[in-house]
Structures are given as C-alpha cells and as structure tokens.
C-alpha cells in the first residue's frame, strides 16, 4: 500500500510539472501582445519599456526558468492588469469558488443518493421511471442552457435569488445548482445500478434470509458496496465539476477563480492565467489522486496489482 | 438482424433514441433540400417574429428577420457533423494508442503514452479549448480536433485495459500459434472484440461533444458566422434573453432533444453490454 501511494504521488507531481510547462509554453505562443492590450495608445518606445518590465522580452526558456525558481519561493508573479500579486488575487477568489464546489458536491451527493435509493427500491415502477427520466434529462441539458432556464425561473420570474455577481450566500445557489444537477444525475444512475446489481448477489440475499431488517440491509450491505463505485464516479465527475465552475462563473459573472482565469486569458495576462491554471489543475490532480488511492484502500482486490 | 429489430421494438426508450437520432441525421444530410428559406436571408419585416404565429415561418424569425427553422436545420447539420467527426477521430486515435499500449505493456512505449493521457486529463478541458482556439482560428476541422482532445484519453485507457486482459485469452494464443503477427492480432482479433464495449461510449460521447461544441460557440470561442451551428444560434439570441427567451430556448430544446436521443441509445447499449445491469 505504501509503495503504491508513493508511486501515485510521484506520478501526480510529474503531471503537475508537465501541465505547468505545457501551459506556460502554449500561453506564450498565442498571438497577442500583453503590453499592447494594457496600453492601447502607447508609443513603440513606451511599449518596449512595459515589455521589459513584464519580462516578456527574454527567451521563453529563460522566462520559464525564472518562473519556476520564483514558484519555489511561493511567488506566482505579478498581474500588471490588476496591479496586485497573482497569489493574492488567487487566494482572494478561492473561497468563493470553494463555496460553489462544496455546495454542489453536498447537493449532488445528498439528492443523488436519496433519489438513487428510492429508484432502486421501487425499480420498474412509475417512480423509478420518473427519477431515471429526470436523471437522463439533466444529463442531456447543456449546462449553460440549464443556467439560462434557472435564471429565467428563479431570477427573473420569481426573483428569489440574485443572478449576477456576488451579493452574499444567496448568490451561490443558482450557480451551484447549475453545476450540481448533471452530477446529481450521474450519482442517481450510479447508485441505482450498483444497488440493483448488489441486490441480485448472494450476500444480500443471505442478509435478508437471516432476518435482518431491510433498512439495515440497505445501509449496512447494499450502500456500503455501492460506495466504492460511487467514489470512482466522483473521481470521473471532477472534470464535469471543473468545467461547470468555469461556465457557471462566466454566465453568472460570479467573481471566483474560473472567471478570473477566463478574464486573464482574454486579456493575455500570462502570469495570472498561468497561476490560475496551476492552482486549478493541481486541485483537480490531487483530488483525483486521493480518490484513486482511497478506493485502492477500500477495495482489497485492487491492492495487489 | 431479426433479433436486433425485435430488441428495438421491445425497448421503448431505445426506439425513441433511434427515432430522434435518425430524424436528425436525415435533417443533417438533406438540409439544403428541406430548408424552407435560405438561412442567411434577412427579411426586416418579420424581425423577432414569435414562433407558432405565422404558418410560413413556423419557428419565427431572429433579430435580423432570418427564418429560425431554416437556421436550426442548418445548425443541426453542422453541429452533428462536428460532434460525430470529433468522436470518430478520438475513437480512432485513442483506440489505436490504447491497442498499442496494451500490447506493449509493461514497456516504455506504454508508460510514456499513459503519462501523456494523464497530462491531458489533468488539464481542465475548457482551459485547453480556450488556449487551443486562441492559437488557431476556429474552423470546422480545428473545432473537431479541439473537441476530440477532451475524449481521446478515455478511449486510450479503456482500450488499453481491455487489450491487456484480452491478450491473455485462448483465442489470441491460438492466433499466435497459427503465426499471426502482432498487427494482425491487434486489429483483426482484439480490436474487433473490443468494438461492442466501445460503442455505448461512442453514443454517449457524441452527446457530450455536441454540448461542448455548442458551449464553445455560446461563449464566442467556437465557429463564427456565417457558419451556423446550434450554439451560434443560441449565442445570437443570448443578448435578447430577458425579453425574447425563445430565441435561445428553441435551439436549446433542439440540442437537448438530439443529445437525449444519443444518451438513450448509449445508456441502453451500455445495459445490453453489461449483463449485470440487465437483471
């Protein structure tokens, strides 16, 4: 178990380094001059000076070397467009994005497990059809379209929640819902199918035969074995989550890390984009890694390989 | 053949999926012959015509007075073309890489390529798409390639792991004894046996890619006018969302229906392939 963990952590670190290098190089091949974007009316000499200040005049490898050595000092560089250090900007926007992450994960797990259990317990009934239908409908709706519908219903018609910017906790509800609904659908389908699969197996039949109360069979036997595949599913859904954050923050103008990244990218604010991509990818890779390791730990069959 | 027709008839959801997908494929192929008007023709008189008001423009007209039905028909053509092509591309690339990795395991080729898929998966797709589409102009081929960046690693991994288990089976050993070379074993024997396990994913991926394509257009990164895709039509209407919701709503529902069709098919195939779910 220890060697597997160590190997996995080293692999993760390697991937993070590669992602940093590739995004660094790609960002600098994109056409567009950051100095020009910042000062559209400046003369050529002034532009040169700005470029010198930003350090974009040196060769790309020198820039990368400097970037990495700064990185080890915990310095992500300086965003000239925001007049602030990149790390400060990122730290400032992370809590708002984490709110969305926590909200949507809690919602999708709670609603997904509940509805999945109900569907599996009433399989082949109308209730099951409704829940499964809802799940497939949610998975088929483009998330930005879902956002539009949510804005129309809860924002414009009912005026229940704010739809733009960040005005307290209520602003997180609609974006979180937009991120959560497709994940909820995936959780419902996963729980339903693994419970139905489990209920055909002998250990569940044996538990029933021993006269154990069906609620206890569900929680102690059925759900427990369903959790491993659920964990795997959450790992796979991380991509949906990260993509959803970008879309939600963009559509709702929600001031989180996703919106900062997109704005920085469109402004050719290299260091800001670079820092944000580094943080987001690392988060993504680390969470996936933890999930990977924990189901290796939970499922003894996987430990050997 | 008879058996599959029977299966389709017995399975309501599956047949609805087949029905939706065949209609949209039909529309996509014959778009130039079935559009009532030229989708680029702007008639100022019918600007912002609401749907179902005028029998000659059943879905209304947009802010320039272009017939919505004609635009949606062309949008289906482009969106479907892009998503199907991109999934086929990533299936081909990912599949071949997966096969080679599986046969090579535990060799250096396999290690390197699997780390590349790790890196690709470690990049959030939307970031990759934005960077890539800032590098190259958004044309139909470039959007197809960018979209396939999101799906190929999954094919490579699935095919690799199935190849690794298939490699040890008796039929492969038998083929080897008969003197089949590695390439023949990979494509004629293992590859052919992997197809059924990949097919459900293909259908689900076409659905997902269709959503991604329209998303890229919606945030103004995808195809630009005069090319019409369903996402473009929605992006056009987005500025009028608070008063004229149907400008985005109608193409949105069309995307939803087509994606639903592909998801129905994919889900059912998955159940069919995985016998444990069948009970």
């Amino acid at each position: 178990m220890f060697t597997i963990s160590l190997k996995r952590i080293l692999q993760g670190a390697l991937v993070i380094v590669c992602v940093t290098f590739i995004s660094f190089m790609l960002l600098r091949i994109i056409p567009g001059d950051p100095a020009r974007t910042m000062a559209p009316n400046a003369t050529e000499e002034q532009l040169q000076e700005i470029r010198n200040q930003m350090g974009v005049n040196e060769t790309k490898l020198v820039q990368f070397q400097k970037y990495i050595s700064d990185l080890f000092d915990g310095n992500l560089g300086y965003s000239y467009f925001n007049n602030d250090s990149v790390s400060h900007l990122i730290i400032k926007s992370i809590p708002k994005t984490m709110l969305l992450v926590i909200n949507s994960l809690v919602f999708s797990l709670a609603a997904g497990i509940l509805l999945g259990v109900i569907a599996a317990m009433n399989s082949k009934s109308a209730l099951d059809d409704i829940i499964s239908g809802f799940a497939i409908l949610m998975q088929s709706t483009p998330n930005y379209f879902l956002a539009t519908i949510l804005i129309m219903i809860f924002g414009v018609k009912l005026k229940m929640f704010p739809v733009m910017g960040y005005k307290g906790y209520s602003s997180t509800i609609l974006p979180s819902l937009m991120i959560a609904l497709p994940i909820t659908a995936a959780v419902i389908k996963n729980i339903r199918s693994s419970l139905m699969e489990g209920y055909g197996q002998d250990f569940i039949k044996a538990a029933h035969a021993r006269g154990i109360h069906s609620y206890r069979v569900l929680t102690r036997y059925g759900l427990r074995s369903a959790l491993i595949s659920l964990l795997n599913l959450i790992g796979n859904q991380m991509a949906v989550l990260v993509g959803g954050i970008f879309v939600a923050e963009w559509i709702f103008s929600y001031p989180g890390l996703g919106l900062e990244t997109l704005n920085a990218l469109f402004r050719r604010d290299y260091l800001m984009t670079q820092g944000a991509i580094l943080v987001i990818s690392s988060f993504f890779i680390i969470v996936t890694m933890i999930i990977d390791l924990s189901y290796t730990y939970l499922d003894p069959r996987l430990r050997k390989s | 053949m008879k058996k599959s027709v029977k299966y389709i008839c017995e399975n309501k959801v599956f047949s609805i999926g087949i029905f939706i997908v065949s209609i949209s494929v039909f529309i996509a192929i014959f778009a130039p012959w079935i559009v009532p008007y030229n989708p680029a023709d702007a008639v100022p008189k019918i600007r912002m015509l609401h749907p179902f008001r005028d029998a000659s423009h059943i879905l209304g007209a947009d802010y320039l007075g272009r017939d919505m039905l004609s635009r949606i028909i062309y949008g289906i053509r482009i969106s479907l073309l892009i998503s199907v092509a991109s999934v086929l591309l990533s299936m081909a690339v990912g599949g071949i890489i997966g096969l080679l990795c599986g046969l090579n395991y535990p060799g250096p080729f396999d290690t390197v390529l699997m780390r590349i898929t790790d890196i690709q998966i470690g990049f959030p797709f939307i970031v990759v798409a934005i960077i890539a589409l800032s590098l190259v102009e958004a044309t139909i081929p470039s959007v197809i390639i960018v979209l396939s960046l999101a799906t190929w690693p999954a094919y490579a991994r699935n095919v690799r792991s199935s190849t690794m288990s298939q490699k040890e089976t008796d039929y492969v050993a038998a083929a080897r004894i008969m003197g089949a070379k590695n390439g023949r074993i990979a494509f004629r024997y293992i590859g052919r046996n992997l197809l059924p396990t990949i097919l459900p994913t293909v259908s689900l991926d076409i659905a997902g890619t269709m959503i991604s394509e329209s998303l890229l257009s919606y945030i103004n990164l995808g195809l630009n006018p005069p090319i019409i895709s369903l996402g473009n039509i929605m992006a056009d209407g987005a500025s009028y969302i608070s008063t004229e919701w149907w400008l985005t709503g109608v193409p949105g529902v069309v995307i939803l229906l087509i994606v639903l069709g592909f998801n129905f098919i994919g889900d059912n195939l998955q159940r069919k392939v995985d016998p444990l779910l069948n009970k």
Side-chain angles (χ1 to χ4, degrees), chain A residues 2 31 36 49 82 85 89 130 133 135 148 154 157 166 215 232 256 267 277 279 285:
Chain A
F2 177 73
R36 176 78 66 193
E49 196 166 321
N82 295 307
S85 73
L89 283 167
I130 292 171
T148 318
F154 295 105
K157 286 262 145 56
Y166 182 82
Y215 174 76
N232 192 7
R267 284 196 295 244
I277 291 180
V279 170
I285 291 165

Side-chain angles (χ1 to χ4, degrees), chain A residues 47-111:
Chain A
L47 285 180
Q48 269 307 329
E49 196 166 321
I50 297 175
R51 286 190 201 117
N52 275 333
Q53 235 178 48
M54 288 177 162
V56 291
N57 265 345
E58 284 157 288
T59 64
K60 296 192 172 68
L61 274 177
V62 174
Q63 285 183 45
F64 185 67
Q65 202 186 9
K66 228 179 113 204
Y67 184 76
I68 291 293
S69 64
D70 279 353
L71 207 60
F72 279 107
D73 299 335
N75 178 6
L76 287 172
Y78 191 81
S79 165
Y80 288 91
F81 294 87
N82 295 307
N83 254 325
D84 204 348
S85 73
V86 170
S87 37
H88 183 232
L89 283 167
I90 289 178
I91 289 170
K92 217 170 60 184
S93 52
I94 280 182
K96 297 220 174 74
T97 299
M98 280 319 281
L99 263 182
L100 293 188
V101 172
I102 294 166
N103 271 351
S104 41
L105 277 183
V106 168
F107 178 87
S108 48
L109 282 178

Side-chain angles (χ1 to χ4, degrees), chain B residues 219-233:
Chain B
I219 58 177
N220 295 324
L221 274 168
L223 295 166
N224 294 315
I227 303 175
I228 305 167
S229 82
L230 290 172
N232 264 343
I233 304 175

Side-chain angles (χ1 to χ4, degrees), chain B:
Chain B
M1 189 64 205
K2 216 173 177 180
K3 223 173 136 190
S4 43
V5 170
K6 193 171 161 238
Y7 178 75
I8 293 171
C9 294
E10 274 174 1
N11 204 316
K12 247 185 276 163
V13 177
F14 192 64
S15 51
I16 294 173
I18 296 271
F19 178 71
I20 296 174
V21 169
S22 357
I23 285 195
S24 38
V25 169
F26 178 83
I27 290 176
I29 294 174
F30 296 103
W33 293 280
I34 53 178
V35 279
Y37 301 91
N38 181 344
D41 278 354
V43 184
K45 210 174 64 185
I46 53 164
R47 280 184 67 235
M48 298 291 193
L49 179 73
H50 284 225
F52 308 117
R53 292 281 167 78
D54 186 341
S56 57
H57 297 276
I58 192 108
L59 291 181
D62 69 359
Y63 62 104
L64 288 175
R66 295 175 293 193
D67 181 53
M68 277 293 265
L69 179 63
S70 311
R71 287 176 68 70
I72 287 176
I73 288 174
Y74 264 94
I76 292 175
R77 183 183 169 95
I78 296 294
S79 296
L80 208 59
L81 168 79
I82 288 179
S83 28
V84 170
S86 126
V87 171
L88 289 182
L89 178 69
S90 68
M91 185 178 84
V93 173
I96 290 173
I97 289 179
L99 262 176
L100 295 179
C101 282
L103 289 174
N104 182 266
Y105 176 84
F109 182 76
D110 173 57
T111 318
V112 171
L113 276 169
M114 279 304 114
R115 288 297 82 74
I116 293 178
T117 61
D118 277 347
I119 294 167
Q120 177 78 71
I121 292 171
F123 258 120
F125 167 67
I126 192 145
V127 175
V128 178
I130 292 169
I131 295 179
L133 288 173
S134 328
L135 278 172
V136 292
E137 203 192 337
T139 58
I140 293 180
S142 70
V143 170
I144 289 175
I145 293 174
V146 168
L147 287 170
S148 62
L149 285 177
T151 42
W152 77 268
Y155 286 101
R157 291 196 161 184
N158 286 346
V159 170
R160 171 178 174 264
S161 64
S162 328
T163 307
M164 278 160 58
S165 57
Q166 296 279 325
K167 212 165 66 166
E168 310 300 329
T169 52
D170 289 342
Y171 78 91
V172 172
R176 229 177 256 288
I177 290 168
M178 286 192 291
K181 296 253 164 41
N182 265 340
R184 192 182 158 82
I185 288 179
F187 292 101
R188 290 294 294 258
Y189 291 84
I190 299 181
R192 193 170 279 188
N193 267 308
L194 295 185
L195 215 53
T197 55
I198 293 180
L199 276 181
T201 329
V202 170
S203 190
L204 295 174
D205 273 348
I206 292 177
T209 307
M210 198 141 179
I211 292 180
S212 309
E213 184 278 324
S214 60
L215 171 68
L216 289 179
S217 304
Y218 193 72
I219 58 177
N220 295 324
L221 274 168
L223 295 166
N224 294 315
I227 303 175
I228 305 167
S229 82
L230 290 172
N232 264 343
I233 304 175
M234 289 184 77
D236 274 349
S239 355
Y240 306 95
I241 185 78
S242 49
T243 48
E244 312 285 342
W245 60 269
W246 54 271
L247 277 177
T248 37
V250 174
V253 170
V254 171
I255 297 181
L256 199 158
L257 278 178
I258 299 177
V259 171
L260 205 59
F262 278 107
N263 276 341
F264 278 162
I265 295 180
D267 259 13
N268 258 281
L269 286 179
Q270 209 159 38
R271 266 179 225 190
K272 190 87 183 136
V273 172
D274 188 351
L276 274 177
L277 291 180
N278 249 334
K279 283 177 201 159

